[in-house]
Amino acid sequence: MHPLYIQNSLSRKKELFEPLNAPHVGMYVCGPTVYSNVHLGNVRTFLSFDVIYRYLEFIGYKVRYVRNITDVGHLVGDADEGEDKIGKIARLQKIEPMEVVQKYTNDFHDVMRVFNILSPSIEPTATGHIIEQISSIEKIMENGYAYEVNGSVYFSVRKFSEDYPYGELSGRKIDELMNNTRDLDGQSEKQDPLDFALWKKADDSHLMRWPSPWGIGFPGWHLECSVMSTKYLGEEFDIHGGGMDLKFPHHECEIAQNIGANKTPNPVKYWIHGNMLTVNGRKMAKSEGNGFTPEELITGNHKLLERGYSPMTVRFFMLMGHYASTLDFSNDALQAAEKGLTKLNNAVEALGKLQGASEDNNDIDIKALSDKCFAAMNDDFNTPILIASLFDGVKTINSAADGRIELGEGQIEDLKKLYSGFMIDVLGLVSEGSERAEGSEDLSSNLLDLLVELRADAKEKKDWSSADRIRNTLSEMGITIKDSKEGSSWSHE
RNA sequence: GGUCCGAUGGCCGAGUGGCUAGGCUCUGCUCUGCAAAAGCAGCUACAGCGGUUCGAAUCCGCUUCGGACCUCCA
């Protein structure tokens, strides 16, 4: 097994990855709250963890990957004082909350599929775990870290912090938090502004409601992640991921709840946080009005976009940056990524057609290239370095394809394995545009082969105008003809 | 206001005490009927000012600028 190093948000250090129960790995990632369409910033986080998941599996771990759907409890506006986000949409549109949930869950799944982001092993929902959440609240109360007020239950941060550290993950100190907390107009039932809701009483206007020992109500936002991660991964598990913006308060509260319920001092061994996608240096967010949906990106139907970009181009663009760094969106960067990906794909295609010699070329070291690829990923999933290494190999492949150098049969096999492993299995970059119907595909490809033959005849007779006419007309249809010593080939974009 | 992070060549974006990141763009060359593709070469940067060091873009300090979090946010 390769030694893998992960930047742990909790310790702020790069640490050797040692799972609690190798080869099994438990990984939990905070999923979306399904009250609106996901935007590209959301996609970036799920993509980052998709690659992490893929790589862990690639190097032999058996990963149980849990990514939740938040379908209740996430409130609008002020913490613990606003309306439920999903309930609000349901009220405004006069539909059932579960219709809202279904609609945006479907949208989320569609988007994940488009970007070739793998499904998690388990995708639990908050509403599916109300009973577990209630019993978790009871445990926290028994341990003395929560109190009931008027049908609602709150977590007592101050009480908790007497026994365990609070704020370690986000680097906050209780006293500083106290000083910086806004007044809540004296309307709050909370004993302390830092406290957060575990269970909220539902008044008659509330659409989402469940019975509990404290009356009719609904669970607080942070609770579901604590409960579902514990249920499916255990009281202590390996990796917890999510966007940087969830560090505080969400993840901090999660830790407090886990410890508060189970008294396990270290519920999560490695915390991983993905950084934000930015537009003109600012975080992409709905409130900024600078977010766009994957559909807008693909069609190019948005004022920030010069034109549309394919999902794999976007995927590649995002992987050219490291997950822990902010990544700035721009048309230029997308276009650069598009060209780069084409170059990579062309090389992989050329690799498939290479004829090997019986003896290896001693000037070329495939093993060294492979080692570089693994080393890149083992260093905190450094996809930009991995991609740079793959481009190094592109030169070798193209040189061989052009007949400038010769590779051994075994070397070609190793390269094929390397590229299918890292490009498809790890980076998830599949080729696009091959979804056309089988029958028409055969027909048009036969027709194209014929045209290429006719053009070869024309070239033979030095009838350049006919040859160029075929090439130019096809080019207008999006088909590119490439001439080489071995003959001509065509490709469709 | 508090906490934290960042500032890299025309653009994007890695790296990090001494070794070419890579991609895109641009220029030139090779190949080629031309073109495309490909290959080769060039453009050789680390915000500013001090300090540590044989040596710093990389460590330390200060300054300037930007961002994130402290409300909901992936």
Side-chain angles (χ1 to χ4, degrees), chain A residues 6 66 108 368 430:
Chain A
I6 297 180
V66 181
F108 173 65
V430 293

Side-chain angles (χ1 to χ4, degrees), chain A residues 343-353 397 419 423:
Chain A
K343 187 173 173 178
L344 208 45
N345 281 332
N346 288 345
V348 171
E349 198 181 325
L351 176 62
K353 295 173 186 161
I397 293 166
Y419 277 78
M423 276 201 53

Side-chain angles (χ1 to χ4, degrees), chain A residues 48 88 98 101 124 133 163 171 176 192 248 259 380 399 421 477-478:
Chain A
S48 298
K88 182 180 177 184
M98 277 300 130
V101 166
Q133 294 188 71
D163 300 337
E176 284 172 4
D192 198 303
F248 188 90
I259 300 173
D380 197 27
S399 294
M477 295 160 64

Side-chain angles (χ1 to χ4, degrees), chain A residues 27 44 74 85 190 255 265 290 322 358 388 416 452 464:
Chain A
M27 176 161 95
R44 156 98 129 148
H74 207 153
K85 289 188 175 201
K190 294 192 269 190
I255 294 172
N290 63 357
H322 189 236
S358 53
K416 284 180 183 169
V452 169
W464 307 127

Side-chain angles (χ1 to χ4, degrees), chain A residues 199-381:
Chain A
W199 186 263
K200 286 288 284 182
K201 180 184 184 172
D203 59 36
D204 291 342
S205 71
H206 242 93
L207 297 169
M208 307 179 87
R209 47 207 288 142
W210 290 266
S212 80
W214 316 283
I216 302 289
F218 59 94
W221 173 38
H222 313 298
L223 191 59
E224 94 255 28
C225 288
S226 288
V227 164
M228 297 190 295
S229 62
T230 303
K231 173 159 181 171
Y232 298 112
L233 301 175
E235 292 181 5
E236 292 182 65
F237 59 96
D238 299 302
I239 297 174
H240 190 129
M244 203 80 106
D245 48 358
L246 293 182
K247 237 185 193 179
F248 188 90
H250 184 60
H251 290 155
E252 208 66 78
C253 296
E254 260 191 68
I255 294 172
Q257 289 166 340
N258 280 326
I259 300 173
N262 304 317
K263 298 194 164 182
T264 46
N266 296 301
V268 176
K269 200 166 177 192
Y270 305 91
W271 281 89
I272 303 178
H273 286 94
N275 216 320
M276 301 294 104
L277 182 69
T278 60
V279 181
N280 296 323
R282 295 193 164 267
K283 177 182 172 182
M284 181 179 283
K286 278 199 195 81
S287 53
E288 295 269 349
N290 63 357
F292 41 78
T293 64
E295 196 196 328
E296 287 166 336
L297 183 78
I298 292 161
T299 60
N301 185 23
H302 191 283
K303 63 179 188 305
L304 286 169
L305 296 164
E306 287 169 12
R307 59 180 176 82
Y309 302 94
S310 77
M312 281 307 120
T313 295
V314 177
R315 188 171 170 114
F316 187 64
F317 158 69
M318 289 183 174
L319 294 175
M320 292 211 307
H322 189 236
Y323 77 86
S325 301
T326 55
L327 179 67
D328 199 54
F329 166 87
S330 73
N331 282 282
D332 286 349
L334 257 318
Q335 278 161 32
E338 188 174 70
K339 291 202 175 174
L341 180 58
T342 300
K343 187 173 173 178
L344 208 45
N345 281 332
N346 288 345
V348 171
E349 198 181 325
L351 176 62
K353 295 173 186 161
L354 279 188
Q355 298 294 322
S358 53
E359 288 189 16
D360 281 357
N361 181 333
N362 291 323
D363 295 335
I364 305 295
D365 190 346
I366 309 294
K367 175 71 165 50
L369 181 65
S370 172
D371 288 347
K372 271 175 78 178
C373 292
F374 279 105
M377 288 304 285
N378 287 334
D379 185 11
D380 197 27
F381 311 103

Side-chain angles (χ1 to χ4, degrees), chain A residues 57-84:
Chain A
E57 292 264 337
F58 189 67
I59 58 177
Y61 289 113
K62 308 279 177 242
V63 184
R64 179 179 289 169
Y65 175 24
V66 181
R67 189 184 63 206
N68 67 293
I69 297 278
T70 296
D71 56 357
V72 69
H74 207 153
L75 304 183
V76 180
D78 254 338
D80 306 327
E81 303 295 331
E83 187 175 2
D84 185 282

